[in-house]
């Protein structure tokens, strides 16, 4: 993470984390996304702890390429980034639940 001016990074470069494959899990779950964890990022000036990030890959059948859908900071220097991809849509537990058809009253 950094600020750009005239195509050059300005100020300190913040590392949001380094991929930690040991924290990743692959297998059927009740989650509708596949998480990937990044830890040991740059020291947070607010908490003194290293920054960390969870990437959440979600199925999006309409995505022709991967795209960042949302970025959250649920706690200071802890980030969640939602990445939309069609490449996970063949995985049954990651496929979104179809919208229910309303029943007539």
């Amino acid at each position: 993470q950094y600020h750009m001016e005239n195509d050059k990074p300005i100020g300190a470069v913040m590392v949001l984390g380094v991929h930690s494959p040991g924290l990743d899990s692959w297998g059927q779950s009740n989650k509708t996304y596949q998480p990937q964890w990044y830890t040991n990022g740059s020291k947070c000036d607010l908490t003194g702890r290293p920054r960390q990030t969870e990437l959440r890959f979600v199925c999006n059948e309409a995505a022709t390429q991967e795209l960042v859908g949302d970025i959250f900071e649920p706690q200071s220097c802890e980030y969640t980034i939602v990445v939309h991809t069609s490449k996970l849509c063949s995985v049954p537990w990651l496929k979104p639940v179809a919208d229910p058809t309303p029943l007539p009253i």
Side-chain angles (χ1 to χ4, degrees):
Q1 176 182 359
Y2 52 90
H3 176 71
M4 295 287 288
E5 286 184 16
N6 299 323
D7 296 327
K8 295 182 181 176
I10 303 296
V13 174
M14 299 290 183
V15 176
L16 301 183
V18 178
H19 185 220
S20 301
L23 297 176
D24 296 344
S25 61
W26 179 258
Q28 189 164 355
S29 72
N30 60 353
K31 296 178 183 169
T32 57
Y33 59 88
Q34 176 60 40
Q36 191 174 65
W37 290 93
Y38 292 75
T39 59
N40 297 316
S42 299
K43 183 179 177 181
C44 177
D45 55 346
L46 298 173
T47 66
R49 297 188 318 251
R51 297 172 192 273
Q52 66 180 26
T53 303
E54 178 190 22
L55 286 186
R56 291 182 177 184
F57 293 94
V58 298
C59 163
N60 181 337
E61 293 174 331
T64 56
Q65 64 182 22
E66 287 65 42
L67 62 104
V68 174
D70 294 296
I71 301 174
F72 304 104
E73 188 176 4
Q75 295 184 38
S76 294
C77 302
E78 295 183 10
Y79 310 96
T80 301
I81 301 173
V82 180
V83 178
H84 295 256
T85 179
S86 61
K87 294 178 180 175
L88 292 178
C89 296
S90 62
V91 180
W93 64 89
L94 297 175
K95 197 170 180 122
V97 177
D99 290 332
T101 304
L103 298 173
I105 297 178

